[in-house]
Amino acid sequence: MPTLRHHDAIAILDFGDGENRFSPDFMAEVHAHLDTAVAEGAAALVTTATGKIYSNGLDLDWLSANGDRAAEYVESVHRLFGRMLTLPMPTAAAIGGHAFGAGAMLAIAHDYRVMRADRGFYCFPEADIRIPFTNGMAALIQAKVPPRTAIAAMTTGRRFGGTDAAAYDLVDAAVGETEVLDTALAMVAPHGGKDQPTMTAIKSVMFDGVLAALRGKD
């Protein structure tokens, strides 16, 4: 399960060493840690994972067993994306392994992304697994990447290694394994300490259309 620690004034949210899929319990833990980071006045937030997977996204096993709650589940996933998108501090995803589907979407909701160059894939597999993007998911991705990247990533199911992900602007940097977390920390450190309500207001205006789509008001 996710855990929270600190590097100086920067909160580090570690998703864990498993697949880090978005079960209801996993998302509740993430929200609880975000609450703590905000309440404690963290200067910035970096998310990472201990194992070879940053996040494999939707918990399809849970969803299959709880099909009557599908709409509620998707709404909760959208809520997590919106929360990360407007968190009142700089955010960076330190991706040391695979980021698939909704896991890649959560990463793209951060302000910055750093990925390991030599291992792991950044991938939106929806075209191959026959799960169309919701309007909110599509709006989130398209707000963060150039049109050519949206086509390459959303319509092909292509698995981008770190170097390719950087070339396509899916991530801001691709570095060695031992440099991923430190690079993410260095990205957010100079920008921390801003007024929280102001940061929330700025991000909410910047991504107003995405937030509307995530709320189903598009």
Side-chain angles (χ1 to χ4, degrees):
M1 295 300 289
T3 58
L4 189 70
R5 65 183 191 273
H6 292 81
H7 175 84
D8 297 329
I10 300 174
I12 300 175
L13 175 53
D14 190 323
F15 292 149
D17 61 359
E19 291 194 28
N20 306 323
R21 289 186 178 269
F22 292 4
S23 68
D25 287 345
F26 176 89
M27 289 189 286
E29 288 280 344
V30 170
H31 277 297
H33 289 312
L34 294 179
D35 288 342
T36 298
V38 171
E40 293 180 347
L45 175 85
V46 171
T47 63
T48 188
T50 304
K52 65 180 182 180
I53 298 171
Y54 175 80
S55 173
N56 272 343
L58 300 183
D59 190 337
L60 298 179
D61 290 339
W62 185 93
L63 194 54
S64 295
N66 297 272
D68 59 323
R69 298 176 62 187
E72 172 192 343
Y73 177 77
V74 171
E75 182 179 343
S76 66
V77 172
H78 282 188
R79 188 179 307 116
L80 180 59
F81 294 159
R83 177 89 187 272
M84 187 62 69
L85 193 64
T86 58
L87 207 68
M89 62 189 70
T91 59
I95 306 166
H98 301 309
F100 272 71
M105 296 175 207
L106 182 59
I108 218 164
H110 291 62
D111 298 322
Y112 310 99
R113 287 158 297 286
V114 180
M115 188 172 175
R116 181 174 170 178
D118 63 335
R119 187 174 181 181
F121 293 113
Y122 199 106
C123 177
F124 301 112
E126 281 73 11
D128 289 331
I129 62 176
R130 299 182 180 182
I131 299 179
F133 295 96
T134 65
N135 288 349
M137 292 172 178
L140 171 62
I141 298 167
Q142 289 174 280
K144 288 299 194 87
V145 301
R148 70 162 187 135
T149 301
I151 293 294
M154 296 174 68
T155 67
T156 68
R158 175 175 170 177
R159 299 183 176 196
F160 293 84
T163 302
D164 281 346
Y168 273 82
D169 296 320
L170 287 165
V171 301
D172 298 281
V175 299
E177 176 185 7
T178 60
E179 302 172 80
V180 174
L181 181 57
D182 286 345
T183 302
L185 290 168
M187 280 186 174
V188 295
H191 309 300
K194 301 290 193 298
D195 177 69
Q196 286 192 1
T198 301
M199 288 292 288
T200 298
I202 289 172
K203 291 184 177 183
S204 296
V205 169
M206 286 175 66
F207 300 113
D208 178 67
V210 178
L211 296 170
L214 288 170
R215 292 192 299 263
K217 297 180 179 179
D218 53 328

